[in-house]
Amino acid sequence: MRILSSTSSVMQPRFIQRWTGLVGLDIQIRSFNTVNRAFPSYSVLGEHCLLSMKPIMPKFKQSQGQSSSSGNTISLLQKGRMLLEFSPKNQGNQKGFQWNEKISFALTVEEMGLLLSQLPHYTVTLSRRIGGEGNGGFDASTYDLISTGTATNEYMDKVLTVEPGDGATVMFQIDYMKDGVGGQKPPAFVPNEISTFAPLHVIVEAGEWEVISAIFRDSIPHLLGWNQMMNVGVHNAMNERGGGGGDDSPY
């Protein structure tokens, strides 16, 4: 007669297996709570470059309440964005990518919504004006430069084109354009726009586009700060006393 070990999963009742799984999940959750930083990202490998996307987190403003009972308040200072990075492959037989030559484009939440509504059926073209006069805007030059901060007559457009293809594929292409002509070199006065590989493009397969769509839909509320501030608002509403209910009202 063969005796099975008591630690074997075959001999464990289902409720013990489930309890063990829940304990392990709880340990994982608690370990995640001790992490101070995280870097979520998703990448699609193309024939000549790598397309990566990662969130630029929103910025919040905390201020003191008007009275001691009101406590501190928090408001959205700047909406987050979804950063797209096109990194060309190393030339020749060398593996890896030329990270210093990457071209970045930071999507607003509205632009993310536009892509979700139009693709994979219609082409979407977005652009950023580099240089020129009066071109302020998103203040994150390390991510996606719109203006040099100084007035200049020299300018160029960084153009992102997202175009549907055969078999429900989607092409992401980035290029430098001047007066409608692509393949330009970035202006010399822009220190962090140095890539000489434009245009760069990546063909996103149907399954990959579904993943990107899911990431966009899930990220938009977070980039707006909506979830975070709603949690605070609901918590405050639950702690408020009073209300207009009668004697039988739970409020």
Side-chain angles (χ1 to χ4, degrees):
M1 180 177 65
R2 186 177 64 175
I3 300 177
L4 297 177
S5 171
S6 61
T7 59
S8 172
S9 61
V10 177
M11 298 297 294
Q12 288 181 352
R14 287 188 176 181
F15 75 90
I16 293 181
Q17 296 180 25
R18 292 175 181 174
W19 179 82
T20 304
L22 290 175
V23 171
L25 178 61
D26 179 65
I27 293 175
Q28 287 183 338
I29 292 175
R30 283 185 291 174
S31 65
F32 272 115
N33 289 337
T34 61
V35 176
N36 294 325
R37 302 187 68 183
F39 304 94
S41 64
Y42 180 71
S43 299
V44 177
L45 180 61
E47 184 178 359
H48 301 291
C49 74
L50 180 74
L51 171 62
S52 302
M53 52 194 65
K54 59 191 71 173
I56 302 173
M57 297 303 175
K59 295 181 180 180
F60 298 91
K61 179 181 179 181
Q62 186 173 352
S63 57
Q64 185 68 35
Q66 296 180 355
S67 63
S68 58
S69 60
S70 61
N72 296 333
T73 61
I74 187 171
S75 59
L76 183 65
L77 182 63
Q78 181 173 280
K79 293 183 288 186
R81 296 198 178 199
M82 183 63 69
L83 178 66
L84 306 183
E85 292 182 333
F86 296 78
S87 303
K89 288 183 177 180
N90 286 327
Q91 296 178 335
N93 297 326
Q94 293 182 344
K95 296 182 179 180
F97 304 91
Q98 302 184 53
W99 304 113
N100 292 334
E101 295 281 347
K102 69 176 179 288
I103 306 177
S104 303
F105 197 101
L107 296 171
T108 67
V109 291
E110 293 80 10
E111 290 169 339
M112 294 167 64
L114 179 64
L115 292 178
L116 290 172
S117 67
Q118 298 300 303
L119 292 164
H121 304 293
Y122 305 102
T123 299
V124 176
T125 301
L126 306 169
S127 64
R128 301 282 187 263
R129 174 60 55 90
I130 301 174
E133 297 183 1
N135 295 309
F138 185 51
D139 183 18
S141 59
T142 57
Y143 298 116
D144 180 20
L145 190 65
I146 291 180
S147 174
T148 60
T150 58
T152 174
N153 293 327
E154 188 177 358
Y155 69 92
M156 188 171 294
D157 295 315
K158 182 165 55 174
V159 181
L160 174 70
T161 303
V162 188
E163 181 178 354
D166 297 333
T169 61
V170 177
M171 182 187 72
F172 281 73
Q173 176 173 289
I174 193 78
D175 196 4
Y176 291 110
M177 304 184 70
K178 185 174 179 61
D179 298 329
V181 180
Q184 305 289 328
K185 291 184 178 181
F189 60 83
V190 184
N192 61 322
E193 297 281 358
I194 62 174
S195 179
T196 58
F197 286 84
L200 291 171
H201 76 275
V202 172
I203 302 297
V204 176
E205 300 294 336
E208 294 167 334
W209 171 246
E210 285 298 316
V211 173
I212 293 174
S213 299
I215 292 174
F216 279 12
R217 294 185 188 278
D218 182 72
S219 299
I220 287 175
H222 293 284
L223 297 178
L224 286 170
W226 185 266
N227 294 2
Q228 294 82 349
M229 291 191 291
M230 278 292 291
N231 290 339
V232 175
V234 171
H235 177 76
N236 291 338
M238 293 177 63
N239 291 333
E240 286 181 355
R241 296 182 179 180
D247 294 338
D248 296 331
S249 172
Y251 307 101

